[in-house]
Amino acid sequence: MSGLKMSQLYPVIMAGGNGSRLWPLSRVLYPKQFLCLKGELTMLQATISRLNGVECESPVVICNEEHRFIVAEQLRELNKLTENIVLEPAGRNTAPAIALAALAAIRNQPEKDPLMLILAADHVIQNEEAFREAVRNALPYAEAGKLVTFGIVPDLPETGYGYIRRGEVANPNTPGVDAIAFGVAQFVEKPDLNTAQAYVASGEYYWNSGMFLFRAGRYLEELKKFRPDILTACEKAMANIDPDLDFVRVDEAAFLACPDESIDYAVMEKTADAVVVPMDAGWSDVGSWSSLWEISTKNSQGNVHHGDVISHDTENSYIYAESGLVTTVGVKDLVVVQTKDAVLIADRDHVQSVKKVVEKIKFDGRHEHHNHREVYRPWGKYDSIDSGERYQVKRITVKPGEGLSLQMHHHRAEHWIVVAGTAKVTLGDEIKLLGENESIYIPLGVTHCLENPGKIPLDLIEVRSGTYLEEDDIVRFEDRYGRI
């Protein structure tokens, strides 16, 4: 198969989801697919980068509306931002998301039925060449009209994954190409340990990876056959798309009416044309802190350190320090994760229950599940340093050439002190340039704007004072990011 010329693919990367089991790093507004958990790239960026060496179009990324600027920035860093982000007004699971991508693919390439490679943005794959080889192995089947899923060759009886039972060897119907796939006999849910052990021992089962390869038109045909309600809703949602900067917005009302369904339930478990291609590539969906420990490089004591960490007499532990020194003494089999506003300490064998902590945080009306203390915006970021009854202090970083919206506030005044870079401030009808150690006062109710005209990041301290200090006290008049 390695000598077969690879057809050009249309990669689709699904970047929804919240990853609550990796709290406190993963939050609703900054979930795990946008984090650097292994290596220098985020999980989304690593998913895109492993396509290097594969002949394909620029990837289409499907994400939640609230993550759009994070996705755009991470694509821009890879030079892969080409008006290729499809926004979901709300999550409706994988069957509708893939339908939107298939409709977009056919719209973009009406003269042919594109081959879609469906990937998740939050998977780790250690052996990228083995991943690419599995994609090559799947191509003849997808070109022949099959719906290919990739089955991960299991190396242990994992109870956190669904499984696929393979059937008879599938004929690729391509002269000179050896069979390398199997018919799908059955999709099975997450098993208990004894059942998982039997699955692995049989050699007939694979982990369900959630990765697929098929022609866009074939997927839509099968979706129409088995779930015409999903297809109709997605067609209506795509009928009046609204291009916005680098984003494609679908019709919100039409998409919200779409049923919530996975591709497995909607299509793959029903179609007669499903085949599974084995993939043995060091795959993990990094669904917990223990799985991240397992795939990470460890020191001689079996520990994984990230950040400023000192461990003594510590074994087989995962220790993550975001913003300060973290030390451990005389412990083993722990997960310790420190962020600016939360600390998690857990037994490595009990990390699946982290989501129970997240549920409790939600129930108590707290915010630590929703956003970090440091919040990213399209123009940069801000870090909430301190707060009291009538004041807040933030450190604001504006990227070179970027700027905040022209705005005003009803309930707060602001004081800005520049600590690095140059600030261009519009205050009413005046424009002022401020350098390091210079400051300006923004009275309540006055229209103002902040920009970075320089070539280095602008850092300033913002002190808010007033009766109401939340982010929704803002009236925008102009905004380069379309947020009015």
Side-chain angles (χ1 to χ4, degrees):
M1 280 298 300
S2 59
L4 184 72
K5 184 181 184 299
M6 180 171 283
S7 300
Q8 187 145 330
L9 300 176
Y10 187 88
V12 175
I13 300 175
M14 295 181 291
N18 292 326
S20 62
R21 287 178 295 176
L22 287 182
W23 183 88
L25 270 192
S26 183
R27 312 277 176 109
V28 170
L29 292 185
Y30 212 88
K32 69 173 182 174
Q33 58 268 30
F34 307 127
L35 298 170
C36 291
L37 294 177
K38 192 174 186 296
E40 299 298 317
L41 299 175
T42 69
M43 300 188 81
L44 170 62
Q45 290 173 326
T47 303
I48 295 170
S49 294
R50 74 176 61 106
L51 292 169
N52 293 340
V54 175
E55 186 179 340
C56 61
E57 306 280 349
S58 288
V60 171
V61 179
I62 301 177
C63 71
N64 298 337
E65 169 94 15
E66 59 192 3
H67 299 147
R68 65 194 185 280
F69 294 118
I70 301 172
V71 173
E73 180 62 23
Q74 294 195 2
L75 291 181
R76 185 181 291 110
E77 289 175 356
L78 297 179
N79 198 27
K80 295 289 187 181
L81 185 59
T82 57
E83 300 179 11
N84 52 339
I85 302 172
V86 178
L87 302 179
E88 291 182 295
R92 285 296 181 267
N93 217 316
T94 52
I98 295 169
L100 293 180
L103 292 165
I106 291 173
R107 177 176 294 186
N108 292 338
Q109 300 181 21
E111 72 284 354
K112 60 181 180 179
D113 189 0
L115 282 166
M116 296 173 57
L117 177 62
I118 311 297
L119 305 173
D122 58 354
H123 292 173
V124 167
I125 292 180
Q126 313 264 35
N127 187 339
E128 295 190 348
E129 183 50 41
F131 160 79
R132 290 187 283 267
E133 185 68 14
V135 172
R136 296 186 191 103
N137 291 338
L139 275 170
Y141 298 93
E143 288 174 334
K146 298 295 184 181
L147 280 71
V148 180
T149 184
F150 295 92
I152 305 301
V153 178
D155 56 2
L156 53 88
E158 174 63 56
T159 60
Y161 299 147
Y163 284 70
I164 300 170
R165 181 166 65 88
R166 75 185 190 196
E168 298 296 320
V169 173
N171 186 347
N173 295 320
T174 303
V177 176
D178 295 332
I180 201 75
F182 302 88
V184 173
Q186 184 184 13
F187 286 87
V188 293
E189 299 293 338
K190 298 174 183 178
D192 59 29
L193 181 58
N194 289 337
T195 305
Q197 289 171 337
Y199 287 169
V200 174
S202 75
E204 297 179 355
Y205 288 81
Y206 303 106
W207 292 337
N208 187 351
S209 71
M211 297 185 288
F212 306 91
L213 178 64
F214 40 65
R215 291 202 179 278
R218 279 294 296 126
Y219 174 70
L220 296 176
E221 285 174 8
E222 297 299 272
L223 190 62
K224 183 176 182 178
K225 183 187 302 183
F226 301 114
R227 289 303 302 267
D229 52 341
I230 293 178
L231 179 58
T232 298
C234 291
E235 287 175 334
K236 289 179 179 177
M238 288 293 289
N240 295 303
I241 60 173
D242 179 18
D244 171 19
L245 299 175
D246 298 296
F247 313 113
V248 175
R249 296 175 183 273
V250 304
D251 184 274
E252 181 173 359
F255 193 70
L256 291 178
C258 184
D260 183 312
E261 190 71 275
S262 74
I263 181 177
D264 287 349
Y265 285 131
V267 173
M268 297 302 292
E269 293 185 3
K270 299 180 175 70
T271 181
D273 285 323
V275 299
V276 56
V277 168
M279 180 185 291
D280 190 0
W283 173 93
S284 171
D285 75 346
V286 198
S288 67
W289 288 113
S290 59
S291 64
L292 184 56
W293 174 83
E294 288 166 0
I295 65 171
S296 298
T297 302
K298 304 169 186 66
N299 64 18
S300 57
Q301 289 77 45
N303 299 318
V304 177
H305 289 176
H306 188 289
D308 193 2
V309 176
I310 297 175
S311 290
H312 174 73
D313 193 21
T314 298
E315 300 176 6
N316 301 324
S317 295
Y318 185 96
I319 307 160
Y320 186 106
E322 180 181 83
S323 63
L325 173 63
V326 173
T327 65
T328 60
V329 178
V331 298
K332 61 181 180 180
D333 300 325
L334 287 186
V335 169
V336 180
V337 182
Q338 176 264 344
T339 68
K340 290 181 178 180
D341 63 347
V343 177
L344 168 72
I345 302 171
D347 186 293
R348 226 182 61 234
D349 290 334
H350 291 79
V351 291
Q352 294 290 349
S353 297
V354 169
K355 58 186 178 182
K356 299 295 185 182
V357 174
V358 175
E359 291 169 3
K360 174 64 174 170
I361 291 170
K362 289 182 189 177
F363 181 80
D364 289 347
R366 302 176 63 104
H367 63 84
E368 287 89 351
H369 72 290
H370 194 259
N371 56 271
H372 286 276
R373 203 183 82 177
E374 191 169 73
V375 176
Y376 287 82
R377 290 287 187 259
W379 43 261
K381 62 183 178 179
Y382 67 81
D383 186 359
S384 299
I385 299 172
D386 193 14
S387 63
E389 187 176 338
R390 288 179 58 89
Y391 75 90
Q392 279 185 359
V393 183
K394 296 179 183 288
R395 182 187 178 111
I396 294 176
T397 301
V398 184
K399 294 180 291 190
E402 303 297 333
L404 285 65
S405 56
L406 182 67
Q407 58 186 254
M408 61 87 70
H409 311 294
H410 288 297
H411 303 287
R412 71 173 184 255
E414 296 173 342
H415 193 166
W416 295 339
I417 306 101
V418 177
V419 295
T422 301
K424 179 182 177 182
V425 179
T426 300
L427 185 61
D429 296 328
E430 291 186 83
I431 296 179
K432 299 183 178 183
L433 287 177
L434 303 179
E436 292 182 11
N437 296 321
E438 294 186 308
S439 64
I440 191 169
Y441 177 66
I442 314 295
L444 183 151
V446 174
T447 301
H448 59 280
C449 178
L450 173 66
E451 300 173 73
N452 180 358
K455 297 186 181 299
I456 64 172
L458 163 64
D459 287 324
L460 59 83
I461 301 299
E462 175 187 86
V463 181
R464 298 179 177 181
S465 59
T467 57
Y468 183 79
L469 304 170
E470 299 303 317
E471 293 299 318
D472 56 357
D473 176 23
I474 183 170
V475 179
R476 290 190 176 98
F477 300 103
E478 297 176 10
D479 184 69
R480 65 182 73 188
Y481 311 108
R483 295 176 298 169
I484 296 177

